[in-house]
């Protein structure tokens, strides 16, 4: 799957709010009950999560996510470094349990 195809697949979701969409970045809010439909799309592009929810983030995971607000234990980070770009996706559950924020970035620069 190409990064453009990933974004096109994400755009088909019934988002509660589309926050940002521009070249290399996509951010939206969706209802938690739609997550089971979202995971196969993300895993089709990224593979298994780099940092699954419920696992404390490593230093490497923190470095990858720092530019986009960091990553916490209850959040999920997908990460992929291919021959030309670095890609990541983050799922941040809301405290009320009803929604999540998803952030997807392509071509990002990460620092360690």
């Amino acid at each position: 799957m190409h990064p453009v195809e990933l974004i096109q697949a994400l755009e088909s979701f019934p988002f509660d709010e589309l926050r940002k969409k521009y070249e290399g970045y996509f951010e939206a809010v969706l209802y938690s009950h739609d997550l089971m439909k979202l995971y196969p799309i993300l895993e089709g592009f990224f593979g298994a999560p780099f940092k699954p929810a419920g696992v404390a983030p490593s230093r490497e995971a923190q470095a990858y996510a720092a530019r986009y607000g960091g990553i916490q234990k209850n959040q999920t980070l997908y990460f992929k470094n291919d021959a030309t770009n670095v890609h990541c996706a983050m799922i941040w559950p809301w405290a009320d349990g009803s929604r999540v924020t998803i952030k997807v970035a392509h071509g990002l620069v990460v620092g360690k």
Side-chain angles (χ1 to χ4, degrees), residues 3 45-46 78-82 84-89 105-108:
F45 181 81
F46 291 100
Y78 289 88
F79 183 81
K80 179 179 178 178
N81 188 358
D82 63 26
T84 57
N85 285 302
V86 176
H87 314 274
C88 77
H106 300 287
L108 70 146

Side-chain angles (χ1 to χ4, degrees), residues 1-11 45 106:
M1 180 184 293
H2 188 273
V4 172
E5 294 171 313
L6 172 63
I7 298 302
Q8 289 172 342
L10 293 174
E11 289 176 332
F45 181 81
H106 300 287

Side-chain angles (χ1 to χ4, degrees), residues 6-34:
L6 172 63
I7 298 302
Q8 289 172 342
L10 293 174
E11 289 176 332
S12 70
F13 274 82
F15 288 107
D16 183 46
E17 176 187 356
L18 177 59
R19 289 188 174 171
K20 297 177 185 175
K21 182 188 170 213
Y22 51 85
E23 187 176 342
Y25 190 75
F26 178 87
E27 182 177 328
V29 176
L30 71 148
Y31 293 100
S32 298
H33 59 80
D34 288 324

Side-chain angles (χ1 to χ4, degrees), residues 11 18 27 39 43 59 65 68 75 77 80 87 93 96 98 100 104-105:
E11 289 176 332
L18 177 59
E27 182 177 328
Y39 292 135
E43 291 175 12
R59 285 182 185 232
Y68 298 99
Q75 299 168 337
L77 171 66
K80 179 179 178 178
H87 314 274
D96 67 6
S98 67
V100 298
V104 180

Side-chain angles (χ1 to χ4, degrees), residues 39-61:
Y39 292 135
I41 293 170
L42 293 176
E43 291 175 12
F45 181 81
F46 291 100
F50 184 81
K51 197 230 57 85
V55 175
S58 65
R59 285 182 185 232
E60 189 175 22

